[in-house]
Amino acid sequence: MDQETGKESGLESPLIEVASSIHNDAAKAAAELAAGLDRPDLEFVLFFCSASYDLPELAKEMESRFVGRKVVGCTTSGEITERGYSKNSILALGFSNRAFTLESELLPLDNFSLNQAQACVAELVNGCNQRGIAPVAGNSFVLTLIDGLSPKEELFLAILNAALGKIPHFGGSAGDDVNLAYTHVYCNGSFHSDSAVVVMVNTICPFEVFTTHHIKSLDQKLVVTEADSDKRRVYELNAEPAALVYAREAGLPLEELQPEVYALHPLAVLIGGEYYIRSIQKVNDDLSLDFYCAVDCGIVLTAMEPGDLYTSVEAKLTELQQQFGETEMVLGCDCFLRELESDKRDLHDKLSRLYKRFRLVGFNTYGEQLNGVHMNQTLTGVMIGKPGSQVLEDADE
């Protein structure tokens, strides 16, 4: 295999080509991506980039390097390239028109309505139907990339999910290298904040949308007694300042609270018998806590602890792969707190080897999305299998 481009020499080209660059210069990085995705059948390009790039310059370079192709993407809190975990880099995927039709829309997060959602879904479905590679029903999934610092994510996802009906949906919240300042999505030649990109993927390949986490309950309950859900801010837990209660629960002094602690001492809500993580973003001067997901007053949070991160991921990917036999690609939205935990536990290299084994690529997020639910500290994504040879031959005719 060519180590620079990830292309398979002497073998049939993959249906999803991968390219990445560690150049911090936007022009050089975009040029390297273009060289790695230099195939006429790769009509749609999806990329994930560090927020350390000069984004206006990168937008200009991506526009000029991929003329005539649809390009969407977002900023990250880390990338998962064909070589595993990465920082200050850019990853791009090129989807072959032999097996995929992708349609995308840029949508505002403010004042998003069901009418807008329905119009968006109708437009995406119509675009996929025009190509006719496969019936949309049963052969399509949706990916969302959303401004990860917007408090409108939950409402947007709920409305979009209602419009999608039975079409499976997953996605990730854009990051900014854990600066918590500005996160962006990319569409139509430029980067945008307060926005979401919705991508419908219609394919002849088998696929499975999934989520997994390794967090276990400690059965310790914390009641949100004062909160502002619009700001994702909790002022009180159990009628005491939220940060004090959380620090006590974690067994640490207040001044030691930081992202690594939040990763190792998560909180979760119980919905329909399943725990969904609500990760802490930061401690404020008034001892309130900001979260990456909305938390309402009256919600009961459960104190959790991490289990075996590596084993849980390996088991899930192995289980999924047994459905397909051979995997074309796994596209993963991996919470940045999992990456922090893996670093603290010295699992980076081991996980990177596992991801390479399953051809898992993607990015570290500020939140993950699954069928209208916004959550944290998960690996959420889609495993895409290889189509049968006859299916591919029929599609080529």
Side-chain angles (χ1 to χ4, degrees), residues 287-301:
L287 300 184
S288 62
L289 296 172
D290 283 357
F291 284 72
Y292 284 101
C293 287
V295 180
D296 294 319
C297 192
I299 290 292
V300 177
L301 295 171

Side-chain angles (χ1 to χ4, degrees), residues 15 37 39-46 66-72 93-98 100-103 131 133:
L15 297 173
L37 302 180
R39 285 170 41 190
D41 62 313
L42 304 179
E43 293 183 349
F44 192 100
V45 175
L46 172 66
F66 292 99
V67 175
R69 300 198 234 180
K70 296 177 183 177
V71 183
V72 304
L93 312 179
F95 291 80
S96 173
N97 59 17
R98 298 176 63 216
F100 297 92
T101 296
L102 290 91
E103 296 290 330
R131 172 77 197 283
I133 195 168

Side-chain angles (χ1 to χ4, degrees), residues 303-328:
M304 312 286 283
E305 65 177 353
D308 188 328
L309 175 57
Y310 179 87
T311 299
S312 69
V313 176
E314 182 182 42
K316 187 64 177 182
L317 294 178
T318 300
E319 172 196 333
L320 290 167
Q321 190 181 55
Q322 288 173 351
Q323 299 179 38
F324 304 124
E326 192 174 2
T327 303
E328 176 68 31

Side-chain angles (χ1 to χ4, degrees), residues 182-202:
Y182 301 100
T183 59
H184 296 83
V185 297
Y186 176 95
C187 191
N188 302 331
S190 60
F191 285 93
H192 307 264
S193 57
D194 299 313
S195 302
V197 175
V198 181
V199 183
M200 182 169 286
V201 183
N202 180 233

Side-chain angles (χ1 to χ4, degrees), residues 224-229 231-237 240-247 254 257-258 262 267 279-292 295 301:
V224 179
T225 48
E226 186 179 349
D228 184 338
S229 61
K231 294 181 178 179
R232 297 176 171 174
R233 183 166 296 169
V234 173
Y235 293 97
E236 289 186 356
L237 293 169
E240 294 184 68
L244 290 179
V245 175
Y246 177 76
L254 187 65
L257 297 185
Q258 56 184 325
Y262 312 147
L267 302 174
S279 293
I280 296 169
Q281 184 185 114
K282 63 178 180 177
V283 177
N284 299 308
D285 291 339
D286 62 358
L287 300 184
S288 62
L289 296 172
D290 283 357
F291 284 72
Y292 284 101
V295 180
L301 295 171

Side-chain angles (χ1 to χ4, degrees), residues 351-370:
L351 279 168
S352 290
R353 289 194 297 272
L354 179 68
Y355 293 159
K356 287 168 66 177
R357 191 171 104 209
F358 286 94
R359 205 169 184 236
L360 187 153
V361 296
F363 72 110
N364 295 122
T365 74
Y366 276 174
E368 304 79 60
Q369 306 131 24
L370 181 71

